[in-house]
Amino acid sequence: MSQNTQQLMLFCTVVVLFVTACLYGQQNVRVLSDALNHLLQTTTDMEGRLNTTLRISEPIRYSGAEVLHTVRQMTGTTVSVQVDGIAYVIDPLVNRRGTIPVQLAASYRPEFIRSGTGELLKIAFWKEASTP
């Protein structure tokens, strides 16, 4: 075969594959659109039987070990971490023996402070009083 014939066959193959991919993508978009329309119709048909909330039913609690891990992971980011009102920055690469006075078995309540745009600015952990 001549080189021109080979190039023509290669070009035709590429065109066929491109058209096939476009048709396959169009079919996927149609299937997803139909699924979303069906979901919208199902939700509309529920007529108020669907109840959504923006609150968490049970408050989040962290153990002391999770607090230590969070402080070490947030070091080097723009997010500051406070434990009982004191800010801590411990870089495990610089100071491996840096400690934070937390009780590993204690329970801590996190408080996430965000900017007006939703960007996380600070995480504050507050130790909860234990009940004997």
Side-chain angles (χ1 to χ4, degrees), residues 2-116:
S2 70
Q3 188 171 354
N4 289 340
T5 307
Q6 288 177 347
Q7 287 181 351
L8 178 66
M9 290 175 62
L10 180 63
F11 178 74
C12 289
T13 304
V14 169
V15 168
V16 167
L17 288 175
F18 178 74
V19 169
T20 303
C22 289
L23 292 174
Y24 182 71
Q26 183 182 12
Q27 179 187 6
N28 281 342
V29 168
R30 187 179 313 120
V31 167
L32 287 174
S33 177
D34 290 344
L36 287 174
N37 287 336
H38 178 58
L39 177 66
L40 178 66
Q41 185 61 40
T42 303
T43 305
T44 304
D45 290 343
M46 294 185 105
E47 295 179 13
R49 289 177 283 179
L50 185 64
N51 185 17
T52 60
T53 61
L54 295 176
R55 60 184 159 79
I56 298 173
S57 60
E58 191 174 314
I60 299 172
R61 301 289 182 250
Y62 283 78
S63 69
E66 291 173 317
V67 170
L68 285 174
H69 180 72
T70 302
V71 171
R72 290 189 184 270
Q73 291 297 319
M74 289 300 181
T75 297
T77 65
T78 59
V79 179
S80 75
V81 179
Q82 290 182 353
V83 178
D84 290 329
I86 301 170
Y88 291 97
V89 176
I90 294 181
D91 191 350
L93 299 176
V94 175
N95 184 7
R96 288 186 162 202
R97 296 182 183 211
T99 60
I100 302 169
V102 296
Q103 296 175 358
L104 297 180
S107 179
Y108 289 84
R109 178 182 47 86
E111 182 180 336
F112 301 98
I113 291 95
R114 299 184 180 274
S115 68

